[in-house]
Amino acid sequence: MKIGVIAIQGNVTEHVHALERTFAEQGVDGEIIRIRQSGLVPDCDAIVLPGGESTTLARLIWQEGIAAEIRSAVRSGVPVLGTCAGLVLLAKDGDDQITRTKQHLLGLMDIEVKRNAFGRQCDSFETSIDIPVIGGLFPAVFIRAPAIVRCGEGVSVLARFGEYMVAAQQDNMLALAFHPEMVADTRLHHYFMNMI
Ligand code: GLN
């Protein structure tokens, strides 16, 4: 099994380590590759879009020709995990900030996102949220996190926090507003790997 982590910018190493731990826990001999150029996504069995800065990430994945490859892989059923900025990129619709700055979105998931919904970097926080599909409470780290403000019919909401939806799944796409790669708990990475 080969998992590609889009490694242009952001929380790449943390995801690689969390995936390595998950492989070890499952006893799977998997390979993780860091993707910085086009030509690699088509060989992957799953793709991770890490958090970072969605404007920078969007610009670079388009510039490198990676965006089109992600789109066609995901449309053909390859599982994708988008965390934080990765969730923003997966979305079909964005808030005023996204529209105003003409930020590119992959437009794969039928969700509308609001960037920086919980405030600025200094408003980052960790809290316990209930995620029934993985068996209950999970320590969620929110760093200048986006939130989901609308979900289409084919989307299941996996977790809510306050007025917002913060975890959702549509078929082979899993979107999390927080950072599961920054905690020791690998249940969400296991959940993702079980989608492959
Ligand atoms: N606020 C960032 C953005 O919208 C996301 C932050 C993160 O990925 N930690 O790009």
Side-chain angles (χ1 to χ4, degrees):
M1 184 192 298
K2 195 193 262 191
I3 302 187
V5 179
I6 306 302
I8 296 242
Q9 190 252 352
N11 277 36
V12 175
T13 306
E14 292 83 349
H15 266 295
V16 170
H17 290 161
L19 290 166
E20 282 169 354
R21 287 203 309 275
T22 312
F23 275 146
E25 286 160 8
Q26 294 200 347
V28 172
D29 188 17
E31 189 188 346
I32 300 156
I33 57 165
R34 294 171 192 242
I35 297 178
R36 296 195 182 87
Q37 76 229 37
S38 60
L40 300 170
V41 166
D43 284 339
C44 293
D45 301 303
I47 299 159
V48 176
L49 271 168
E53 188 57 47
S54 59
T55 43
T56 310
L57 273 165
R59 191 159 38 81
L60 295 173
I61 60 172
W62 257 273
Q63 196 171 300
E64 297 299 322
I66 300 171
E69 292 183 345
I70 297 174
R71 264 190 180 147
S72 87
V74 173
R75 283 189 179 135
S76 70
V78 171
V80 64
L81 166 64
T83 55
C84 205
L87 170 150
V88 175
L89 292 182
L90 286 178
K92 253 194 185 125
D93 297 311
D95 59 11
D96 292 349
Q97 190 186 356
I98 290 172
T99 316
R100 195 166 15 90
T101 56
K102 299 193 176 64
Q103 182 175 339
H104 282 312
L105 301 177
L106 291 166
L108 290 163
M109 229 175 137
D110 191 7
I111 55 174
E112 181 180 331
V113 292
K114 178 175 177 183
R115 284 184 70 194
N116 307 322
F118 303 96
R120 300 152 58 123
Q121 191 83 15
C122 56
D123 301 316
S124 299
F125 58 96
E126 179 174 337
T127 187
S128 236
I129 57 169
D130 186 27
I131 311 181
V133 290
I134 56 157
L137 293 179
F138 185 86
V141 177
F142 288 82
I143 303 173
R144 239 161 31 92
I148 302 169
V149 293
R150 181 196 63 79
C151 280
E153 262 179 25
V155 179
S156 320
V157 177
L158 305 186
R160 295 173 190 273
F161 181 64
E163 64 186 291
Y164 295 123
M165 296 165 273
V166 293
Q169 180 174 359
Q170 181 179 2
D171 304 319
N172 54 328
M173 298 175 274
L174 180 62
L176 309 172
F178 49 91
H179 291 267
E181 76 285 4
M182 292 182 71
V183 296
D185 191 324
T186 48
R187 277 177 299 161
L188 281 167
H189 282 84
H190 279 280
Y191 182 81
F192 175 59
M193 278 195 195
N194 290 338
M195 287 165 58
I196 302 174

